[in-house]
Amino acid sequence: MKYQITDSNGRRTLAFRGQLTFADRTALDPVISQALAGGVRELDVDLEALDYMDSAGLGMLLTLRDRAGKSGAQVRLAKPRGDVKELLSLACFDTLFAIES
Amino acid sequence: MNQIPAVLDGGTRILIVDDERMNRTLLEVALSRSGYATVTAEDGLTAWELLDATPDAFDVILLDRRMPRMNGMELLTRIRADDRLKYLPVVMQTASTSTEDVVEGIKAGVFYYLAKPLNLQLMLSVVAQAVDERQLLRRLQDDLAKHSIALTLLDTGVFHFRTPEEGNMLAVALAHICPGSRNLMVGLSEIFTNAVEHGNLSIKFQEKSRLLEEQRWSDEIARRLTLPEYAGRRASVTVERQADRVNFIVCDQGEGFEWRDYMDIQPARAFSAHGRGIAMARRMCFDRMEYRGRGNEVVCTVYTPTATATPPTEPPAPTFDGGEFTCDMALARTMQAGLLPSDRTLAELEHGTRLRISGVFHPSTDVGGDIWGVIPLDRHRVAIYLADFSGHGVTAALNTFRLDTLIRHMRADQDKPADYMTRLNREMSRLLPVGHFCAMLYGVVDTRISQFTYAAAAASRPLVMNLSSREVSQGDGKGLPLGISPSAVYEPRSLSFPPGSLLFLYSDALAEARRADDKAIGCPGVARLLPRMVEDGSATDAVSLVEAILHSSGDTARVNDDLTAVCCLRAADG
């Protein structure tokens, strides 16, 4: 997993690249803290460059959502495609997250 | 000596032991990029000095096998022999992949083998898994401590059990009563099983040898449990706490046995497949063991560590291959396999409903996060389910036990998949921590109306194939995974299931298996391959179907996760 965090016009974006899998879960924790730092209210998770995600990846999105909720931030998933988009749809994640295509 | 870097709470530190500087640097860079703190040592002896001085500093060790001064195997042996370090996961890297070397390592307690040259991706995923299991063990130890606070309040108590499974469950629960006592769970489960099998069900030693040889052991237990002369028999355990000890008094309603012959391992039985349990429990798990009367009552005693009590003799250290942990994992694996439907259950089901059901269960580690099962409803209907928990290893496996317990206790609405799934989800949402969930398909095959009615929670599409036309109908697996939101509601869906059809359910590991060209088989791939695999009519059970699908491209596709599949065959005249 590779990631980048950017701020522009009051919105923060966390962009993932490559794969989000079981192997990444310990590494993700500090990334989430960093993405939610400074009392951010809205967080876009950009999935455009994410090629693959497994069920553990879904679990990480849930952890992110939970931690964001606790710090009063809204999470929006943006631009999922291919297998990632299919997995989100299979798991009905549109009932949990705002998903912007 | 190396400086041990400070880590934040919940941070993870890894010790890299390798004599080649290049390798150390490579591992260091890869691991620190993934957020781990690392410390390096250039040989076994340096590593040992570090571990000995700071036994709590590390979560995982990455160990090279061949090194000067002290090699990897020697260091591993020292680690496993040290009470402070014995549960520390060790990932061994080796250039030699000879079976003997690997077996030697596994016996000595290697968590995982990595072949050289190293695949960094694989290395990271193995390390992550080792870290997980390490943290789970720490959590379980905390849990055990919490539970035992409640159980230390128990002065006397009587528990009854009828089946070996109930005995095992009780053993796990009662093991909490003496925190820190070695192998208590293993010992209690041994004695409880004996009370049922040799006590209440009157199976003799020679009989057991024969049944084991003919692979009819578990079927015979199941059969006897239903016979009128045995069905009403219960075993009991009375727990009695005294100032310096806890007594477990186990009674069964059998005729007793010549217990004196079994208190030590007799040379005559040294190579027998069984008959060592009592001697082992006596030597390794209890401080005292005393049979009474004709042998249907036994008192097992564990001394509690108080200032005044001194046990007469210290029990010798356990001598299982690879230590206690391996032994517990083997037990966990057996217990998990025991959750799945037995051949006997499936044969009876076929006799009653004329549906032939088979399954495959391949955990990717010792224990898996998948489970499947059947619930016979009546002569026309059977419920079939397949569940796949997020993650792998011990964490996911514990969740399969939770689900199994839920299903065994939630009897209402078993014939209404959508309602049942909605209720299961409510319970799972209460039980599972954030980030954990379960993909599941639960359905009822009804031969009277020739339908498979099901509910799905992020499962692979159920497939029904017409055996004569080879046409495959695909269902819909869409749904919120179980355990995320208690208010989720599941809807009923159905597929037509006429005589001469085959129903195939599988966990996503099959679709995600990668062929030699690194392409995944994919769900459409499974649906496309299924009719080709039953072409000659021979592969109509889950094992051969899964094998055939994995081998369809010539090579064996690589499976990276727990793989489970269930197949239900309805004959043309069924």
Side-chain angles (χ1 to χ4, degrees), chain A residues 12 28-38 67:
Chain A
R12 183 165 294 169
L28 195 76
D29 231 36
V31 176
I32 295 179
S33 306
Q34 206 186 330
L36 295 172
R67 285 185 51 190

Side-chain angles (χ1 to χ4, degrees), chain B residues 38 76 81 117 134 137 182 187 191 213 252 284 311 320 349 359 379 383 478-479 491 511 529 556 565:
Chain B
T38 57
L76 180 61
R134 170 77 166 161
L137 199 66
R182 284 178 168 188
I191 298 302
E213 211 168 290
D252 61 62
M284 295 177 13
F320 290 116
L349 195 67
R379 285 186 68 83
K478 217 167 148 174
E491 58 178 47
L529 287 165
T556 312

Side-chain angles (χ1 to χ4, degrees), chain B residues 52 108 222 420 482 485 520 536 555-556:
Chain B
D52 190 35
Y420 195 67
L482 303 188
S485 158
D536 57 358
D555 285 314
T556 312

Side-chain angles (χ1 to χ4, degrees), chain B residues 106-162:
Chain B
I106 301 283
K107 278 192 172 169
V110 165
F111 177 84
Y112 197 92
Y113 256 106
L114 289 172
K116 282 183 165 182
L118 273 189
N119 169 340
L120 284 181
Q121 197 65 40
L122 180 66
M123 184 276 295
L124 286 173
S125 104
V126 166
V127 165
Q129 199 180 328
V131 167
D132 249 21
E133 308 232 334
R134 170 77 166 161
Q135 283 166 354
L136 176 79
L137 199 66
R138 282 188 172 153
R139 263 204 314 279
L140 282 181
Q141 279 162 346
D142 290 350
D143 274 2
L144 207 66
K146 279 178 215 145
H147 282 299
S148 56
I149 291 170
L151 277 162
T152 46
L153 303 176
L154 180 86
D155 276 334
T156 47
V158 185
F159 303 83
H160 291 90
F161 55 99
R162 198 177 80 85

